[in-house]
Amino acid sequence: MGRMNKVIKYIVLFGYWLLALGYTKAQDSKSLFQTANSYYQNKQYEEAEKMYTLLLKKDKNNANAYYNLGNTYYHLKNYPSAVLNYEKAKKLQPDNKYVAHNIELTNNKQFSKIEFSKEFFVTKQLKNVVHTKSSGSWSVFMLIVLWISVIAFCIHFFTTNKFLFRTGVLFFVATIIFAGFTYSSFKSEHQHNFAIVMQTNAFIKSAPVESMNAAQAIQTGIKVEIIDTDKNWLKIKLPNDKTGWIEKSSVEMI
């Protein structure tokens, strides 16, 4: 019995130690964030950049730190690093309108003209609408219309009201549509195959080789999709759907 009490005592002490460690880490992160914000507000952007970077080494899922670091790089006119951190913030907070706005603003600073995919206009607009909200938000809409559909069908079953039947069908179709939106948004959120070109004078090539044959210059700061890998090379897709190979060292993953 005495031995069991000792074991319980050690478990409790270990639990307290874990809680204290977590609290200390949270306080440390909070202190770093406040210090970084102070530097940022005083327009000491180089110091703010150091603090936000240090914070993110300790807390890699801090969306606010990524967003503020993006703002810091924007003021330092380091636009590729700014958009990289905005994209990382967006990955953690897909519904954040401020992040989306700053990505667009930064890209307008980087590119006077950028060629995008000649995708069918309606399809492109639909994708834009889907990606304005997170999969969690779309799933809430899906559940709401599903319940309305179920309730309408249940009442129709007892009253044979044709209007309620048509309403049930309509909302059931809406459920299927929102389910598709949820899946598409979820898939986009959990893909880890996007990167930002960070190297100046980067090139894409038709094959993963050192030779400069068939090399094409690519703009720094552009977001690309990773579709294949080969040792130190990545096969990427540009916004205009063109593909090619680029060295891994030229990009940084989002």
Side-chain angles (χ1 to χ4, degrees), residues 47-111:
E47 296 302 319
E49 184 268 336
K50 292 176 185 177
M51 291 295 103
Y52 286 128
T53 301
L54 182 59
L55 169 59
L56 287 166
K57 286 181 180 178
K58 298 175 179 289
D59 185 5
K60 295 181 179 180
N61 294 317
N62 193 323
N64 291 327
Y66 281 122
Y67 176 71
N68 287 3
L69 182 55
N71 289 337
T72 301
Y73 280 125
Y74 182 88
H75 286 292
L76 290 170
K77 298 185 178 180
N78 185 344
Y79 300 127
S81 293
V83 78
L84 172 66
N85 283 280
Y86 288 143
E87 288 285 356
K88 288 183 177 182
K90 183 181 178 182
K91 193 172 182 179
L92 294 168
Q93 294 183 349
D95 289 337
N96 193 317
K97 295 180 180 179
Y98 298 105
V99 173
H101 171 76
N102 283 12
I103 289 173
E104 184 179 356
L105 183 67
T106 307
N107 282 334
N108 288 338
K109 284 281 186 180
Q110 290 190 101
F111 313 117

Side-chain angles (χ1 to χ4, degrees), residues 104-164:
E104 184 179 356
L105 183 67
T106 307
N107 282 334
N108 288 338
K109 284 281 186 180
Q110 290 190 101
F111 313 117
S112 56
K113 183 180 179 181
I114 183 169
E115 184 184 351
F116 289 97
S117 169
K118 295 180 175 61
E119 191 175 25
F120 181 49
F121 176 77
V122 175
T123 305
K124 186 176 180 179
Q125 290 299 110
L126 182 60
K127 285 184 178 179
N128 289 337
V129 169
V130 171
H131 295 152
T132 57
K133 295 191 179 297
S134 67
S135 56
S137 296
W138 286 123
S139 65
V140 170
F141 294 143
M142 179 188 70
L143 290 173
I144 290 172
V145 296
L146 175 61
W147 275 108
I148 293 173
S149 175
V150 170
I151 291 169
F153 279 131
C154 287
I155 297 174
H156 164 74
F157 180 78
F158 291 105
T159 64
T160 64
N161 187 307
K162 291 183 179 180
F163 173 76
L164 288 173

Side-chain angles (χ1 to χ4, degrees), residues 21 52 105 160 187 192 211:
L21 185 65
Y52 286 128
L105 183 67
T160 64
K187 186 178 177 182
H192 300 282
S211 169

